[in-house]
């Protein structure tokens, strides 16, 4: 089973709202990732968690706040977003981050629209 | 310089024919991994196939095979017997083995939009 789940599937929010995206996996993976993807572009890495610790933050604005409460869960808290933050947000997981062959498995994504 | 180059923005293939999607990469690291993902319009990125830089044989997974030419730094995806459901965006991606730990960073190409017609 290589399933990563993400909720919600769609989200519309105003610029003053606070919302959260949730990602879950039960594959025993110890690395989890957030990506942002604009239409017709490749995914852009935002954050990497390894063993529940943040290991990469790709200079993401502070209005995006990741959280990894345990090895199966990854959240992305959103606050005061801008319309240009509208995108598909993908979560992924892998067994780890140190071996070349470790495949990242992606969830179905959350389509976010900021009004 | 771009680490992954996909020069075909769009490709068209007739059902049941084979198609090759091009990918070239740029790295000075002797240890790296190459991945192909499929992304249908629904949005999910689906892992297709992996090739390690030290792998002696080209990777195959069902109808997918990877034509790995190390000296040319190319890792083309071959899809045999195309199906209508293969219509999607295809991304080539690479991990490098810097310092024995890549921290999970994947470099993606810009993608190739494949359309399979009946």
């Amino acid at each position: 089973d290589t399933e990563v789940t993400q909720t919600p599937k769609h989200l519309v929010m105003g610029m003053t709202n606070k919302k959260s995206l949730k990602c879950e996996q039960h594959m025993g993976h110890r690395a989890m990732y957030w990506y942002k993807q604009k239409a017709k572009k490749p995914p852009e890495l935002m954050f990497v968690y390894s063993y529940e610790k943040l290991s990469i933050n790709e200079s993401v604005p502070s209005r995006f706040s990741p959280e990894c409460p345990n090895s199966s869960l990854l959240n992305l808290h959103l606050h005061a977003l801008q319309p240009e933050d509208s995108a598909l947000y993908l979560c992924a997981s892998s067994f780890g981050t140190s071996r070349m062959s470790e495949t990242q498995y992606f969830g179905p994504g959350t389509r976010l629209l900021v009004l | 310089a771009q680490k992954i180059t996909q020069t075909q923005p769009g490709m068209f293939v007739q059902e049941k024919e084979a198609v090759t999607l091009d990918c070239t990469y740029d790295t000075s690291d002797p240890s790296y991994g190459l991945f192909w993902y499929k992304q249908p319009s629904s949005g999910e990125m689906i892992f297709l196939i992996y090739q390690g830089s030290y792998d002696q044989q080209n990777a195959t997974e069902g109808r997918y095979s990877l034509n790995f030419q190390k000296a040319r730094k190319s890792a083309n995806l071959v899809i045999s017997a195309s199906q209508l459901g293969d219509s999607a965006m295809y991304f080539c991606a690479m991990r490098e083995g810097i310092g024995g730990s890549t921290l999970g960073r994947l470099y993606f190409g810009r993608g190739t939009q494949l359309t399979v017609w009946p």
Side-chain angles (χ1 to χ4, degrees):
Chain A
D1 183 12
T2 56
E3 190 178 12
V4 177
T5 59
Q6 288 187 245
T7 53
K9 287 194 178 353
H10 301 273
L11 179 63
V12 180
M13 60 187 288
M15 289 191 283
T16 58
N17 292 156
K18 283 186 184 181
K19 296 284 184 186
S20 296
L21 309 185
K22 181 179 169 183
C23 174
E24 196 164 2
Q25 57 86 15
H26 295 287
M27 296 179 278
H29 289 176
R30 302 313 299 265
M32 296 187 79
Y33 311 76
W34 280 116
Y35 289 85
K36 172 183 176 181
Q37 187 180 26
K38 295 285 226 179
K40 308 262 187 231
K41 300 284 187 188
E44 298 171 16
L45 183 65
M46 299 174 73
F47 302 104
V48 180
Y49 272 85
S50 180
Y51 289 83
E52 297 151 53
K53 287 193 166 68
L54 184 65
S55 57
I56 293 180
N57 176 343
E58 291 284 58
S59 303
V60 179
S62 60
R63 56 186 185 269
F64 295 91
S65 174
E67 179 198 18
C68 189
N70 60 58
S71 59
S72 300
L73 274 177
L74 185 66
N75 298 320
L76 186 63
H77 303 298
L78 314 173
H79 173 54
L81 293 195
Q82 303 296 309
E84 59 264 29
D85 296 322
S86 298
L88 177 68
Y89 288 83
L90 291 163
C91 173
S93 70
S94 64
F95 277 111
T97 59
S98 58
R99 291 196 299 181
M100 205 59 52
S101 58
E102 278 168 328
T103 300
Q104 292 183 26
Y105 294 96
F106 286 77
T110 293
R111 290 194 187 276
L112 174 67
L113 178 61
V114 182
L115 299 175
Chain B
Q2 276 194 324
K3 289 197 178 281
I4 294 286
T5 301
Q6 293 181 256
T7 56
Q8 306 154 315
M11 287 286 284
F12 293 84
V13 66
Q14 192 170 23
E15 204 177 4
K16 298 181 187 162
E17 297 293 310
V19 63
T20 297
L21 306 183
D22 293 343
C23 172
T24 58
Y25 58 91
D26 182 25
T27 181
S28 56
D29 201 303
S31 179
Y32 52 89
L34 297 155
F35 301 81
W36 277 93
Y37 286 88
K38 170 185 177 182
Q39 188 175 39
S41 56
S42 58
E44 183 173 357
M45 295 278 283
I46 302 165
F47 165 70
L48 295 177
I49 196 165
Y50 165 80
Q51 180 84 44
S53 59
Y54 295 119
D55 293 344
Q56 294 296 312
Q57 298 206 328
N58 287 345
T60 60
E61 287 287 349
R63 293 185 301 110
Y64 305 108
S65 61
L66 206 152
N67 184 359
F68 182 45
Q69 298 190 38
K70 200 168 179 176
R72 299 175 73 174
K73 292 191 174 178
S74 75
N76 299 338
L77 177 71
V78 180
I79 305 175
S80 63
S82 297
Q83 303 172 355
L84 296 177
D86 293 334
S87 293
M89 181 73 91
Y90 288 80
F91 289 100
C92 179
M94 179 176 69
R95 284 184 65 169
E96 293 175 308
I98 299 166
S101 172
T102 65
L103 295 179
R105 191 185 302 276
L106 267 182
Y107 298 97
F108 285 90
R110 293 180 184 266
T112 295
Q113 180 68 46
L114 176 66
T115 303
V116 181
W117 50 285

